[in-house]
Amino acid sequence: MSGLPVTGLAVRRPPRGPAELVDGFRGLGVATVHEAQGCSGLLDAAIRPVFPSPPVAGSAVTVSVPPGDNWMLHVAVELCGAGDVVVVAPTTPCDAGYFGELLATAMQARGVRGLVIDSGCRDVAELRAMGFPVWARSVCAAGTVKETLGSVNVPVVCAGQLVTAGDIVVADDDGVVIVSRDAAAAVLAAARARADREVVSRGRYAAGELSLDLLGMRERLAAKGLVYVDELPGAPS
Amino acid sequence: MSGLPVTGLAVRRPPRGPAELVDGFRGLGVATVHEAQGCSGLLDAAIRPVFPSPPVAGSAVTVSVPPGDNWMLHVAVELCGAGDVVVVAPTTPCDAGYFGELLATAMQARGVRGLVIDSGCRDVAELRAMGFPVWARSVCAAGTVKETLGSVNVPVVCAGQLVTAGDIVVADDDGVVIVSRDAAAAVLAAARARADREVVSRGRYAAGELSLDLLGMRERLAAKGLVYVDELPGAPS
Amino acid sequence: MSGLPVTGLAVRRPPRGPAELVDGFRGLGVATVHEAQGCSGLLDAAIRPVFPSPPVAGSAVTVSVPPGDNWMLHVAVELCGAGDVVVVAPTTPCDAGYFGELLATAMQARGVRGLVIDSGCRDVAELRAMGFPVWARSVCAAGTVKETLGSVNVPVVCAGQLVTAGDIVVADDDGVVIVSRDAAAAVLAAARARADREVVSRGRYAAGELSLDLLGMRERLAAKGLVYVDELPGAPS
Amino acid sequence: MSGLPVTGLAVRRPPRGPAELVDGFRGLGVATVHEAQGCSGLLDAAIRPVFPSPPVAGSAVTVSVPPGDNWMLHVAVELCGAGDVVVVAPTTPCDAGYFGELLATAMQARGVRGLVIDSGCRDVAELRAMGFPVWARSVCAAGTVKETLGSVNVPVVCAGQLVTAGDIVVADDDGVVIVSRDAAAAVLAAARARADREVVSRGRYAAGELSLDLLGMRERLAAKGLVYVDELPGAPS
Amino acid sequence: MSGLPVTGLAVRRPPRGPAELVDGFRGLGVATVHEAQGCSGLLDAAIRPVFPSPPVAGSAVTVSVPPGDNWMLHVAVELCGAGDVVVVAPTTPCDAGYFGELLATAMQARGVRGLVIDSGCRDVAELRAMGFPVWARSVCAAGTVKETLGSVNVPVVCAGQLVTAGDIVVADDDGVVIVSRDAAAAVLAAARARADREVVSRGRYAAGELSLDLLGMRERLAAKGLVYVDELPGAPS
Amino acid sequence: MSGLPVTGLAVRRPPRGPAELVDGFRGLGVATVHEAQGCSGLLDAAIRPVFPSPPVAGSAVTVSVPPGDNWMLHVAVELCGAGDVVVVAPTTPCDAGYFGELLATAMQARGVRGLVIDSGCRDVAELRAMGFPVWARSVCAAGTVKETLGSVNVPVVCAGQLVTAGDIVVADDDGVVIVSRDAAAAVLAAARARADREVVSRGRYAAGELSLDLLGMRERLAAKGLVYVDELPGAPS
C-alpha cells in the first residue's frame, strides 16, 4: 500500500459512487460529515476556500503532481467529467500557482464541480467570476512548468489525508472532508441523522433552552467538581 | 495574581460596566481605542474576524477551556446575557473548532453580541447567515469533546492579553482590544477626543492639506537631517 | 549598487513612465505580466489584498521605513501624485499598522491609486469604504511612531523584489508584480499577446477542446513514458 | 487586574520566594513541574533555549518592554540580584535582538541565573561561551533603541502566561514553566513525588516491564473496545 | 484503501523486512535513498531530529493517535521489538508532548532504534543522555491524556506520507524517508550505486575537477543560452 | 536598476575587495557590523547557521537560481575562489535542498569559505564533518533538477537584501550581514571602534558597574517619567 503515488500512470476509468449518493452530501456541512464518520478524513485546516462559494460534493479525480509542474492537470482534464471534484497533491510541499482560469474553463466545460489543491492557485478574480470553486493552501501568481510526469487517479496524500479516486469530496467554508466510497452510504445516513438532530436543537436553543438541560450535562459537571459561585473569590467588590 | 486560570469554577455574577459606557465604544475603531489607552490591550493580530462584520463592543464573559474541549462554552451560555461578548482562551495553544452554529444560536438567543476565541471556529457559512460575529485564530471543521472542566468568568490570558470578566471588548475588522472596566470611562473620553480630531484631519487631508504642515513636521524632519533632492544621485538621467 | 536603502533622503522628482504605458497594464492580470517578463518581479505571495479590489497599475513611489515608524509616509504624501502606487518597505521585518485611513485620505486626494506594503495596515473597514486598495502582509491595529528617518524614492527591497521609483506596479487579487520602467513597453506588448492568446484558448476550452490537443502535448507525454490504463492495477474491482 | 502592564514604573523590592524553595525546583524537569501544578503555567512552545544549557530555576524579575526598545532591560539590571531569572515581555509581538552579551555580563555579575524573552536575542556565541542561558523566541542580530519607557517588576503576559515578579521560573531543554509564589511549596512537593515515582517506573521499564501492566491499562483498553489481531485484515500475506 | 486509519485495532505481528535488508540502509543518507527511489517517500521537512543523532534505519511500527492522547504509545511498546522504528501520526494536527523519557526507556529496553512523530516530544535532555533518537515536529513540555483509542500497525499518514507497518524508515540529520517493503531490495541497490558514484565524484571534486566537465554540462548550458562575460555589463569599472 | 536578476549570464571576474579588508571583518560580530553601518544589510533572521560554526567573512559570489533547480551552482563553482562566500537566491521562494556535500567538496577545494542560501540545504552531517559552514532557511533532503538557467555574479535579492558580487558577507551564529564593497573600509573602522568600546564596557559591567551610570541614563529616564517605588501598589504585602 506504500510507495504511493505511482508516477507516469493515467487511469481512465476510476470508480465513481452512484450520483444520488454523492449528491446527497451536498446539503451537509463538512463539520457534520467529519463527525458522522468518526472524526476522520478532514484535510489540514490550511486548505481554505479561495473565495466564499456554495458547498460542493463530488467524486474525487486525484492528481499527483511534481513540485512546480502542472502538466498532469492537463492530462486530468480529459479524464474527469460531470460530478467530479479534482484533488491535486504535490509530491513535495510547494506553493506555486498550479491552477487558474484556463484549466478551470476546461474543467467547467466537462461538468467538474470544483478543485481542491494542497498548493497554490491563481486568477482568483476570474475564478470567482466564473463561479468555479477552489480550495487551496495559498494564492500565488507564479505559474508552473510542464516538464515532468505525475499521475492521475492513483491514490495520493493530500493535506494529510489519503485520497483514492472515487472517494467523495465534501467541501464548504469550513474546509474539506474525504469520505471513502465504501463507507459513503453509512456516513451519509449518519450525517443526515446528525443534521436532523441539529435542526431540532437549533430550534430549542433559539427559544432559549440550554444545552446544560437538553443534553443533561449538569450532573456530570457536578460530578467532575464544577463549583458555582456568585463572585470571583478575592475580587474587589 | 499568577497561577491563573483557576479550573472548575463558574462565576455567576461577574461585574459588568454600565451599558451606556460599554455601548459608547461601539462607534470607535479598535486602532483608536488602542491608542487612546496608551497602546495597550490589543490582542495578537492573528485574531481576525471570521467574516466581515459590523464592529462590536460588549462586556467580557471569559471562558477558560482545556485543549480540544468545549464543555465550558455550554456552561458559559447560561452565565452570559444581553450586551456580553464571550472571550474564549484555551489553556494550551490549540486550533480545534470549539464554536459553531448551535452555540451561536444559544448565545444569540440570550443577547450576546459576538465571540472572541484564541483558537478555531466552524460553521462559518451559518454564522455569517445568522449575523453572529466571531473573531478567531483559525477556521477548523474538527470539533471538540466534553470531558474536562475549565472555568467561566475567571481571569484568562487570551491571545497575549489578560482579560477579566467585565472588561470591555471592542472588536472590528482591524482586530480586538480589551479595555479594563476601571479605566473605561477615561479611555472612552480619550478615544472620542481622538476620533473627533481625526474627523477634522480627514477633512483637511481630503482637501489636499499635508500632515507635514498640519502637524508641523517639517522642522523636526530637517533637524533630524532629512535632505530633499530633485533626483536620485547617480541615477541615469 | 548595494548598501541600499539610503537613509534620510527624499527624492522630489522620481522618473515616471508615460501614462499611456502605465495605464496599459491595468487590464492585464498579475500572473500574465509575471510570465510575460520571464517569471520575474513577483512580490512574495504573503502580500495579499486587504479586501477584494479592482486591479491597479501605477508608477512606483518608494518609501523605505524603519521598523515601527511611519514618519516617511507623511513625507511621501507630498511627493506622490496622480497615477502613482506607493510601495512601502520596512528595513527590518515588522508587522505594525503603518498605514490607515488618514494617510489614505491624503494620498487619495492627490490621485494615488493604491498602496503596497511589506508590513501591516489598519482601518480596513474605512479603506474598503473609501475604495482605496491596499496590498499588505498583515492587518494590525497597533500603530507606529514618528521618530526616525527613512527615505522616499530611493531603491528598496519590498517583499523580496528590488523596486525603484518609477517602476510600474501591477496588483490584483493574485498579488503584486513589478515591471522595470525600461522594460515596460516590451513587457506590455508581450503581456497583451499572452492575454490575446488566452482569450482564444478560453473560448476553445469552453467549447470542450482539450489542451492536450491544442498544445500538442500527447506526443511529448508519451515520449516521457506516460501510460494510460483503464483501471488502477491491483485495485479491487 | 486588567490593564496590565503599567508603563513607567520600576519596582525596587519585588517579593522573592525563600531561596531553599526556589532552589528546590532546579533538579526537576519543566514537564514534571507543569503536570504537578495541574497542567498550567507553561510558556508557549515557541520559547526555546538559544543553546543547550543546564536547567535553571529562579525568582522572576519581570520586564515589560515596548516593541524594539530595550531601555528597561538596563533599568532591570539594577533591580535584579542573585538567584533571579529575568522575564522579558514586549507589549506588542516583536522579534528584535533585545538582549546580548553586554547585558548578560551585567546580569551575570549580579548573580542572575538566566533570561526568558518572548522576542529575540543576539550574541549567541558569546552567551554560550559565558554560560549565561537564554530562552527566546528567535535569534536576531538587529538591535533595539532606548527611547520609550516600559516597566520593571509589574505583572506581564509573557508567551501566553501571566508572570508576576517573585514567581518561580523553571526552564530546561523542554521549555519554561511559571510557578506562582503562593503555590510553590505545594507544587514542589507534588513535583518531587512525581519525580520519585518516575525513578521507580524508569527502573521497571528498563527491566522490560510494561506500562500496560504496571499501570493496569489492559482492562480499560478492552472496555473501550481495543481489538488485538495478529495481522491487518485484508493485507496481502 | 481510503478511510484510514482504522481506530481501535492493535496488530500484533506486522510484516517486517529481513534484518540484513533493513540494516543495509543504515549507512546511506536520507537524501540518497530519496533520490534512489524516484524522489518519493520523504516526510515533510518540518520533521527534524530533536538533537543530533547517528543515522537510523529500522522497520516501521505505526501508531495512529488521537489529538493530545498518547495511550496507544503504551500499547505499541508491547508490539515493537529489536530493529523497529516507531512512527507516530496524530489523526488531527497537534503539537503536544506525546513522547518522553519513560516511553523511551521502555522502547529502548525492547531494542527499538528510534521514534518519528508528526507532533511534539519532551524530556529532550534525558533522551539525549539515553541516546534514544527522536525526529519530531516540535518540542513541547505539555503532556497528553490516556482516554481515547487509536491503533497500532495500521497504515497511517505521517507528515504527508503514507506509512505501513513493516516499511523501512531511514532517518538522519537531513530528515526521514520511508521505503516500502516491496521496493526495499531494489531501492537499496540503487541507493548503494548512487553512494558509490558519489564517493568517486567526491574524490575528483576534492582534487579540483569540475562537475561542468565530469558531468558534461558545458554543451547543454551553451545550448540553453548561457552567456559568459568577464564583467557585469553596465557596472562601474 | 530594477528588473534584476538577469537570467542566463555568468560573470567571470566579479569585483573583489582587498583581502586584508575582507579578512578584517572576520573577528567582528554580525550584530556589531550591522550597527556600524547604520542598521542596514541584515538578512532575514530566518537565515540560520545549519550547525554551529566559527564566524566567516568573505567576498560574495552571487548565484540566482530558479525554484527547485541548482544547475547554476555547478556553474558558480568554476567562478569562485579563495576567500569567497557563495550567496544563493531563488527567484521564487522555495525550500528544496539545493546544496549538499558534493558541491561543498568542490567549493572547499577552491578555497570558498562558506555558503549562504535563502532556501534549503542537505547532507548536514557531512557538511559538519567537513567544516564547511552553511547559513540556510531550512534543511531539506529533497534535491533539485538541472534544467533551467539562472545567473552567476549578477545582483540578487537574498533574504530581503540586495547583494552584489564583491560585497562583503559577514556571518556568525547571529545571522548574516552584507557590507557593500564601497563602504567596507568605513564600516570596518566603525565596527572596530564599536568592538573596542564594547571590550571596555564588558569589563566595567563584569565589575558590577551599571549602564544606567556609565551611559548616563538616569536623567533621561526621569525626564521621560520613570517612577521608582519600593513595592507594587495594590499588591498584597
Side-chain angles (χ1 to χ4, degrees):
Chain A
M1 198 181 281
S2 306
L4 95 222
V6 176
T7 295
L9 196 64
V11 178
R12 279 200 195 92
R13 297 188 205 145
R16 285 185 171 93
E20 63 280 9
L21 185 60
V22 174
D23 293 351
F25 282 94
R26 209 177 311 174
L28 296 165
V30 165
T32 299
V33 174
H34 174 246
E35 297 209 353
Q37 73 174 343
C39 293
S40 65
L42 192 67
L43 265 57
D44 191 300
I47 307 299
R48 299 288 307 139
V50 169
F51 46 87
S53 309
V56 159
S59 183
V61 165
T62 59
V63 191
S64 172
V65 293
D69 192 310
N70 78 345
W71 209 7
M72 297 315 288
L73 281 169
H74 292 266
V75 174
V77 169
E78 189 180 27
L79 305 181
C80 64
D84 288 341
V85 171
V86 178
V87 176
V88 186
T91 52
T92 298
C94 169
D95 277 330
Y98 277 86
F99 184 80
E101 179 195 11
L102 290 182
L103 281 165
T105 301
M107 288 183 181
Q108 201 177 45
R110 300 181 78 84
V112 173
R113 293 179 177 167
L115 181 132
V116 175
I117 181 165
D118 188 4
S119 185
C121 105
R122 55 183 187 168
D123 299 339
V124 170
E126 291 81 0
L127 294 171
R128 190 192 286 120
M130 292 170 62
F132 188 87
V134 176
W135 284 257
R137 186 176 286 274
S138 62
V139 170
C140 179
T144 50
V145 297
K146 291 168 187 57
E147 292 287 344
T148 310
L149 297 186
S151 287
V152 179
N153 286 326
V154 301
V156 298
V157 171
C158 180
Q161 295 294 337
L162 183 67
V163 187
T164 300
D167 283 350
I168 289 128
V169 183
V170 186
D172 66 13
D173 279 4
D174 288 1
V176 183
V177 67
I178 306 297
V179 180
S180 93
R181 203 166 42 104
D182 291 346
V187 172
L188 179 58
R192 281 181 171 155
R194 283 190 78 89
D196 290 347
R197 285 196 302 273
E198 286 179 4
V199 169
V200 176
S201 300
R202 195 181 308 127
R204 299 181 71 166
Y205 293 163
E209 289 190 72
L210 292 171
S211 51
L212 293 183
D213 300 315
L214 283 183
L215 304 179
M217 291 172 173
R218 292 193 193 274
E219 283 188 10
R220 218 173 129 239
L221 284 165
K224 290 262 184 177
L226 184 65
V227 173
Y228 281 87
V229 295
D230 275 359
E231 292 181 9
L232 186 67
S237 58
Chain B
M1 198 181 281
S2 307
L4 92 224
V6 176
T7 295
L9 195 64
V11 179
R12 279 200 195 92
R13 298 189 204 144
R16 286 184 171 93
E20 63 280 7
L21 185 59
V22 175
D23 294 351
F25 282 94
R26 209 177 312 174
L28 296 165
V30 166
T32 299
V33 174
H34 174 247
E35 298 208 355
Q37 73 175 340
C39 294
S40 66
L42 192 66
L43 265 57
D44 190 300
I47 307 299
R48 300 288 306 139
V50 170
F51 46 86
S53 307
V56 159
S59 182
V61 165
T62 59
V63 191
S64 172
V65 293
D69 191 311
N70 78 345
W71 209 7
M72 297 314 288
L73 281 168
H74 292 266
V75 174
V77 169
E78 189 180 29
L79 305 180
C80 63
D84 288 340
V85 171
V86 178
V87 176
V88 186
T91 51
T92 300
C94 168
D95 277 329
Y98 278 87
F99 183 79
E101 177 195 14
L102 290 182
L103 281 164
T105 302
M107 289 183 181
Q108 201 176 44
R110 300 181 79 85
V112 173
R113 292 178 177 169
L115 180 132
V116 175
I117 181 165
D118 188 3
S119 183
C121 106
R122 55 184 188 168
D123 299 338
V124 170
E126 292 80 1
L127 294 170
R128 189 192 288 121
M130 292 171 62
F132 188 87
V134 176
W135 285 257
R137 185 176 286 274
S138 62
V139 170
C140 180
T144 50
V145 297
K146 290 167 187 60
E147 292 287 344
T148 309
L149 296 186
S151 286
V152 179
N153 286 327
V154 301
V156 299
V157 171
C158 181
Q161 294 295 337
L162 183 67
V163 188
T164 300
D167 283 349
I168 289 128
V169 183
V170 186
D172 65 14
D173 279 3
D174 287 2
V176 183
V177 67
I178 305 298
V179 180
S180 93
R181 202 167 43 107
D182 291 347
V187 172
L188 180 58
R192 280 183 171 152
R194 283 190 78 89
D196 291 346
R197 285 196 302 272
E198 286 178 5
V199 168
V200 175
S201 301
R202 195 180 308 127
R204 299 182 70 167
Y205 292 163
E209 289 191 71
L210 293 172
S211 51
L212 293 183
D213 299 316
L214 283 183
L215 305 179
M217 291 172 174
R218 291 192 193 274
E219 283 188 10
R220 219 175 129 238
L221 285 165
K224 290 262 184 176
L226 183 66
V227 173
Y228 282 86
V229 295
D230 275 0
E231 292 179 10
L232 187 67
S237 60
Chain C
M1 198 182 280
S2 306
L4 94 222
V6 176
T7 295
L9 195 64
V11 178
R12 280 200 195 91
R13 300 188 203 146
R16 284 185 172 94
E20 62 281 9
L21 184 61
V22 174
D23 293 352
F25 282 94
R26 210 179 309 174
L28 296 165
V30 165
T32 299
V33 174
H34 174 246
E35 297 208 356
Q37 74 174 342
C39 293
S40 66
L42 191 68
L43 265 56
D44 191 300
I47 307 300
R48 300 288 306 138
V50 170
F51 46 85
S53 307
V56 159
S59 183
V61 164
T62 60
V63 191
S64 172
V65 293
D69 191 311
N70 78 346
W71 208 6
M72 297 314 288
L73 281 168
H74 292 266
V75 174
V77 168
E78 189 181 28
L79 305 180
C80 61
D84 288 342
V85 172
V86 177
V87 176
V88 186
T91 52
T92 299
C94 168
D95 278 330
Y98 278 86
F99 184 79
E101 177 195 13
L102 290 182
L103 281 165
T105 301
M107 288 184 182
Q108 202 176 45
R110 300 180 79 83
V112 173
R113 292 178 177 169
L115 180 131
V116 175
I117 181 165
D118 188 3
S119 184
C121 105
R122 56 184 187 168
D123 299 338
V124 171
E126 291 80 1
L127 294 171
R128 189 192 288 121
M130 291 170 64
F132 187 87
V134 176
W135 285 258
R137 185 175 288 275
S138 62
V139 170
C140 180
T144 50
V145 298
K146 291 167 187 59
E147 292 287 344
T148 310
L149 297 186
S151 286
V152 179
N153 286 326
V154 301
V156 297
V157 171
C158 180
Q161 295 295 338
L162 183 68
V163 188
T164 300
D167 283 350
I168 289 128
V169 183
V170 187
D172 66 13
D173 279 2
D174 288 0
V176 182
V177 67
I178 305 298
V179 180
S180 92
R181 202 167 43 105
D182 291 346
V187 172
L188 179 57
R192 280 182 171 153
R194 282 190 78 90
D196 290 345
R197 285 196 302 272
E198 285 179 4
V199 169
V200 176
S201 300
R202 195 180 308 125
R204 298 182 71 168
Y205 292 163
E209 289 191 72
L210 293 171
S211 51
L212 294 183
D213 300 315
L214 283 183
L215 305 179
M217 292 173 173
R218 291 193 194 273
E219 283 188 11
R220 219 174 129 238
L221 284 165
K224 290 262 185 176
L226 183 66
V227 173
Y228 281 86
V229 296
D230 275 359
E231 292 180 8
L232 186 68
S237 59
Chain D
M1 199 181 280
S2 307
L4 93 224
V6 177
T7 295
L9 195 64
V11 179
R12 280 200 194 92
R13 299 187 203 147
R16 286 185 170 93
E20 62 281 8
L21 185 59
V22 175
D23 294 351
F25 282 94
R26 210 179 309 174
L28 296 166
V30 165
T32 299
V33 173
H34 174 247
E35 298 208 355
Q37 73 174 342
C39 293
S40 67
L42 191 67
L43 266 56
D44 189 302
I47 307 299
R48 300 287 306 139
V50 170
F51 47 86
S53 308
V56 158
S59 183
V61 165
T62 60
V63 191
S64 172
V65 292
D69 191 312
N70 78 345
W71 208 8
M72 296 315 286
L73 281 168
H74 292 265
V75 174
V77 168
E78 189 180 29
L79 305 180
C80 62
D84 288 341
V85 171
V86 177
V87 175
V88 186
T91 52
T92 299
C94 169
D95 277 329
Y98 278 86
F99 183 79
E101 177 195 13
L102 290 182
L103 281 164
T105 301
M107 288 183 181
Q108 202 177 45
R110 299 181 79 83
V112 173
R113 292 179 177 168
L115 180 133
V116 175
I117 181 165
D118 188 4
S119 184
C121 105
R122 56 183 187 168
D123 299 339
V124 171
E126 291 79 1
L127 293 171
R128 190 193 287 121
M130 292 171 62
F132 188 86
V134 175
W135 284 257
R137 185 176 287 274
S138 62
V139 170
C140 180
T144 50
V145 298
K146 291 168 188 58
E147 292 287 345
T148 310
L149 296 186
S151 285
V152 180
N153 286 326
V154 302
V156 298
V157 171
C158 180
Q161 295 294 338
L162 183 67
V163 188
T164 300
D167 284 349
I168 289 128
V169 183
V170 186
D172 65 14
D173 279 3
D174 288 0
V176 182
V177 68
I178 306 298
V179 180
S180 92
R181 202 166 44 105
D182 292 346
V187 172
L188 179 58
R192 280 181 171 156
R194 282 189 78 90
D196 290 346
R197 285 196 302 273
E198 286 178 4
V199 168
V200 175
S201 301
R202 196 180 308 125
R204 298 182 72 167
Y205 292 163
E209 290 191 70
L210 293 172
S211 51
L212 294 183
D213 300 315
L214 283 182
L215 305 180
M217 291 172 174
R218 292 193 193 271
E219 283 187 11
R220 221 175 126 238
L221 284 165
K224 290 262 184 177
L226 182 65
V227 173
Y228 281 86
V229 294
D230 275 0
E231 293 178 9
L232 186 67
S237 59
Chain E
M1 198 183 279
S2 306
L4 93 224
V6 176
T7 295
L9 196 64
V11 179
R12 281 200 194 92
R13 298 188 204 147
R16 285 187 171 93
E20 62 280 8
L21 185 59
V22 175
D23 293 352
F25 282 94
R26 209 177 313 173
L28 296 165
V30 165
T32 299
V33 173
H34 174 246
E35 298 208 355
Q37 73 175 344
C39 293
S40 67
L42 191 67
L43 266 56
D44 191 300
I47 308 299
R48 299 287 307 138
V50 170
F51 46 87
S53 308
V56 159
S59 183
V61 164
T62 59
V63 192
S64 172
V65 293
D69 191 310
N70 78 345
W71 209 6
M72 297 314 288
L73 281 168
H74 292 265
V75 174
V77 169
E78 190 181 27
L79 305 180
C80 63
D84 288 341
V85 171
V86 178
V87 176
V88 186
T91 52
T92 298
C94 169
D95 277 331
Y98 278 86
F99 184 79
E101 177 195 13
L102 291 182
L103 280 164
T105 302
M107 288 184 181
Q108 202 177 44
R110 300 181 79 84
V112 173
R113 292 178 176 166
L115 181 132
V116 175
I117 182 165
D118 188 4
S119 184
C121 105
R122 55 183 188 168
D123 299 339
V124 170
E126 291 80 2
L127 294 171
R128 189 192 288 121
M130 291 171 62
F132 188 87
V134 176
W135 285 257
R137 185 176 288 274
S138 62
V139 170
C140 179
T144 50
V145 299
K146 291 167 187 58
E147 292 287 344
T148 310
L149 297 186
S151 286
V152 179
N153 287 326
V154 300
V156 298
V157 171
C158 180
Q161 295 295 336
L162 182 68
V163 188
T164 300
D167 284 350
I168 288 127
V169 183
V170 187
D172 65 14
D173 279 3
D174 288 1
V176 182
V177 67
I178 306 298
V179 180
S180 92
R181 203 167 41 104
D182 290 347
V187 172
L188 179 58
R192 281 184 171 151
R194 282 190 79 88
D196 290 346
R197 286 196 302 273
E198 286 178 4
V199 169
V200 176
S201 300
R202 195 180 309 125
R204 298 182 72 168
Y205 293 163
E209 290 191 70
L210 292 172
S211 52
L212 293 183
D213 299 316
L214 283 183
L215 304 180
M217 291 172 173
R218 292 192 193 272
E219 283 189 11
R220 220 174 128 238
L221 284 165
K224 290 263 183 174
L226 183 66
V227 173
Y228 281 87
V229 295
D230 276 0
E231 292 179 8
L232 186 68
S237 59
Chain F
M1 198 183 281
S2 307
L4 96 222
V6 176
T7 295
L9 196 64
V11 178
R12 279 201 195 92
R13 298 188 204 145
R16 285 184 171 94
E20 63 280 9
L21 184 61
V22 175
D23 294 351
F25 282 94
R26 210 178 309 173
L28 295 166
V30 165
T32 300
V33 174
H34 174 246
E35 298 208 354
Q37 73 175 341
C39 293
S40 66
L42 191 66
L43 266 56
D44 190 301
I47 307 299
R48 298 289 305 140
V50 170
F51 46 87
S53 308
V56 159
S59 183
V61 164
T62 60
V63 192
S64 172
V65 293
D69 192 311
N70 78 344
W71 208 6
M72 297 315 287
L73 281 169
H74 293 266
V75 174
V77 169
E78 190 180 28
L79 306 180
C80 63
D84 288 342
V85 171
V86 178
V87 175
V88 186
T91 51
T92 299
C94 169
D95 277 330
Y98 278 87
F99 184 79
E101 178 196 12
L102 291 181
L103 282 164
T105 301
M107 288 183 182
Q108 202 177 43
R110 299 181 79 84
V112 173
R113 292 179 177 167
L115 181 132
V116 175
I117 181 165
D118 188 3
S119 184
C121 104
R122 56 182 187 169
D123 299 339
V124 171
E126 291 81 0
L127 294 170
R128 190 192 287 120
M130 292 171 62
F132 188 87
V134 176
W135 285 257
R137 186 175 287 273
S138 62
V139 170
C140 180
T144 50
V145 297
K146 291 169 186 57
E147 292 287 343
T148 310
L149 296 186
S151 287
V152 180
N153 286 326
V154 301
V156 298
V157 171
C158 180
Q161 294 295 337
L162 183 67
V163 188
T164 300
D167 283 350
I168 289 127
V169 183
V170 186
D172 66 13
D173 279 3
D174 287 1
V176 183
V177 67
I178 306 298
V179 180
S180 93
R181 202 165 44 103
D182 291 347
V187 172
L188 179 58
R192 281 183 170 153
R194 281 190 79 88
D196 290 347
R197 285 196 302 273
E198 286 179 4
V199 168
V200 175
S201 301
R202 195 180 309 126
R204 298 182 71 167
Y205 292 164
E209 288 190 72
L210 292 172
S211 50
L212 294 183
D213 300 315
L214 283 183
L215 305 179
M217 291 173 173
R218 291 191 194 273
E219 283 189 10
R220 219 174 128 239
L221 285 165
K224 290 262 184 176
L226 183 65
V227 173
Y228 282 86
V229 295
D230 275 359
E231 292 179 10
L232 186 68
S237 60

